[in-house]
Amino acid sequence: MRKTSVLAAMLCFSLCFSVAHAAVRFNGQDYVPIATWVRANGLHCLQLRRGDEIFATSRTTRLVFDVKSHYAEINGVQVALSFPVANQKGVALIAQFDLDTTIRPLLFPGRYITPKTLKTICLDPGHGGKDTGNRTFWHSEKTYTLALASELSDQLKKAGFNVILTRSKDTYIELPDRPALANRRGADLFVSLHFNATQIGRDQVKGPETYCITPVGASSTNARGEGSDHGSTIANRAGDESLLFAYQVQKSLVQNLNMNDRGVRHARFIVLCNSKMPAILVEGGYMTHPVESEKIYDATYRRQMAQAIVKGILAYQKLTSPPASSAVLGANKPVGHLNKASPRKGSP
Ligand SMILES: [Zn+2]
């Protein structure tokens, strides 16, 4: 066997554009072949069969899909999908819902985002007072969310933003009162700050997670007692902006702090549901991880984390300031839907 043939056999790959093109109904959702959508949007597609991974690339964009996975890697950042990537008779499929609510708003933000100048940012240090948040040994989450918020507030003010804090002391604030303050004061962005904990895999589980509001009609990434709530909230009006905001902050945290990427995720947390402006909740790492926890308790590291969040905010600002730049994440112009999908705001 020739050397090239051996290599091809080892890699066991096939070009995606050899697969079928029709949209299908699958698990109660409209699914389309990834290859068809990718090619229609000017990307090249390669399917690696052994790992069930599908790569789609252009000069400026790299997408990675994995069959049966609820995540897509978009330019190096893990982003939760509402429905898993599927494989039907060897054809990799993605839900039209995820193309509409997640992939397209991130790849072509200029088409989906309402341009707005950012002036005021509301920071929400999680927990406080009688609500300690996660506790490990003598460390309480509420202490470090406030410390990070104070550092972030200083840095954002230096960058020229007005900053509102939902609490500046160790006080208890009801959850609905936090976004209510941001709404009342006309904040342009809302950032809730938390640190995470797990009882399973404490030595392994680490890294940030950044949450934005769950799209209408989907389940949350981690449904904590939300049951089958698929409904709409006031926050869904800024759903595309919140997704892009979460993406930019998660990307900055992962890249600038070299952290393990646990992804952009969806949730209907009260602080997200009730916010009128683009809103995210940052879980800045795990207090239960032996190494990451020591970093969280270190002021120098929290300063670096605040710098990374500021960079994420500035990257979001660059993408959303008027006049809006289009297709900044991906250089290619999007094309129409492959099948019927609800019209999106800002679509030409
Ligand atoms: Zn928390």
Side-chain angles (χ1 to χ4, degrees):
M1 198 180 283
R2 287 189 340 200
K3 198 174 175 185
T4 50
S5 303
V6 173
L7 191 63
M10 284 172 63
L11 286 172
C12 194
F13 67 78
S14 68
L15 293 174
C16 284
F17 49 70
S18 64
V19 299
H21 299 250
V24 295
R25 195 79 181 157
F26 193 75
N27 285 343
Q29 287 294 315
D30 289 332
Y31 270 77
V32 295
I34 290 175
T36 308
W37 187 85
V38 157
R39 192 176 48 175
N41 284 278
L43 286 85
H44 303 288
C45 185
L46 184 72
Q47 184 167 0
L48 197 61
R49 277 190 185 149
R50 184 174 292 176
D52 281 338
E53 281 188 321
I54 301 103
F55 295 86
T57 57
S58 71
R59 195 168 52 80
T60 56
T61 302
R62 183 176 185 272
L63 307 178
V64 185
F65 301 99
D66 200 343
V67 171
K68 295 182 185 163
S69 172
H70 265 91
Y71 284 85
E73 186 187 304
I74 302 177
N75 289 334
V77 180
Q78 295 291 323
V79 180
L81 302 172
S82 296
F83 302 96
V85 171
N87 182 346
Q88 196 180 56
K89 297 175 184 170
V91 178
L93 304 168
I94 186 166
Q96 183 71 47
F97 186 94
D98 283 309
L99 291 174
D100 292 339
T101 61
T102 302
I103 306 293
R104 293 163 66 102
L106 289 177
L107 288 188
F108 311 113
R111 189 177 160 113
Y112 289 84
I113 301 304
T114 305
K116 194 171 192 302
T117 303
L118 305 179
K119 293 179 185 156
T120 303
I121 299 173
C122 182
L123 301 179
D124 174 41
H127 312 282
K130 65 183 182 185
D131 174 13
T132 62
N134 293 314
R135 295 188 69 177
T136 54
F137 302 104
W138 53 88
H139 299 288
S140 294
E141 182 188 352
K142 65 175 184 176
T143 305
Y144 300 102
T145 59
L146 182 58
L148 177 61
S150 301
E151 179 63 46
L152 185 52
S153 173
D154 291 345
Q155 293 192 26
L156 286 171
K157 285 175 184 170
K158 282 180 190 159
F161 294 103
N162 300 324
V163 178
I164 302 165
L165 287 162
T166 57
R167 68 180 178 97
S168 54
K169 300 185 294 231
D170 183 19
T171 46
Y172 177 74
I173 313 280
E174 296 282 355
L175 289 175
D177 292 343
R178 298 168 186 253
L181 175 72
N183 293 341
R184 206 164 54 241
R185 298 278 295 274
D188 300 304
L189 295 176
F190 180 89
V191 183
S192 191
L193 299 166
H194 290 254
F195 291 103
N196 227 330
T198 180
Q199 299 312 315
I200 302 165
R202 295 163 72 101
D203 291 346
Q204 287 86 42
V205 180
K206 62 178 181 176
E209 302 165 2
T210 305
Y211 289 83
C212 57
I213 191 69
T214 309
V216 178
S219 298
S220 296
T221 313
N222 336 2
R224 292 177 187 161
E226 296 173 6
S228 56
D229 180 9
H230 290 178
S232 173
T233 73
I234 195 168
N236 287 108
R237 293 182 197 169
D240 291 337
E241 287 83 354
S242 293
L243 171 69
L244 183 65
F245 184 26
Y247 176 89
Q248 293 298 338
V249 168
Q250 179 73 8
K251 183 179 185 180
S252 184
L253 284 169
V254 169
Q255 292 184 349
N256 287 295
L257 298 179
N258 199 23
M259 297 178 87
N260 178 51
D261 181 10
R262 288 185 51 85
V264 173
R265 297 171 177 227
H266 302 127
R268 291 189 177 91
F269 300 141
I270 290 173
V271 292
L272 298 183
C273 284
N274 294 357
S275 296
K276 291 180 180 173
M277 67 293 301
I280 61 172
L281 184 146
V282 178
E283 293 276 9
Y286 276 77
M287 292 172 63
T288 39
H289 188 274
V291 177
E292 195 162 73
S293 58
E294 291 305 316
K295 292 181 177 179
I296 290 167
Y297 310 147
D298 178 66
T300 304
Y301 182 78
R302 287 198 304 273
R303 191 173 312 127
Q304 293 167 352
M305 180 171 283
Q307 283 169 356
I309 295 172
V310 171
K311 284 182 182 175
I313 290 171
L314 293 175
Y316 174 78
Q317 181 187 41
K318 196 174 171 188
L319 288 168
T320 57
S321 290
S325 54
S326 62
V328 177
L329 279 177
N332 303 299
K333 259 191 114 185
V335 299
H337 296 265
L338 289 168
N339 58 5
K340 277 182 283 168
S342 54
R344 312 279 301 169
K345 70 174 184 283
S347 297

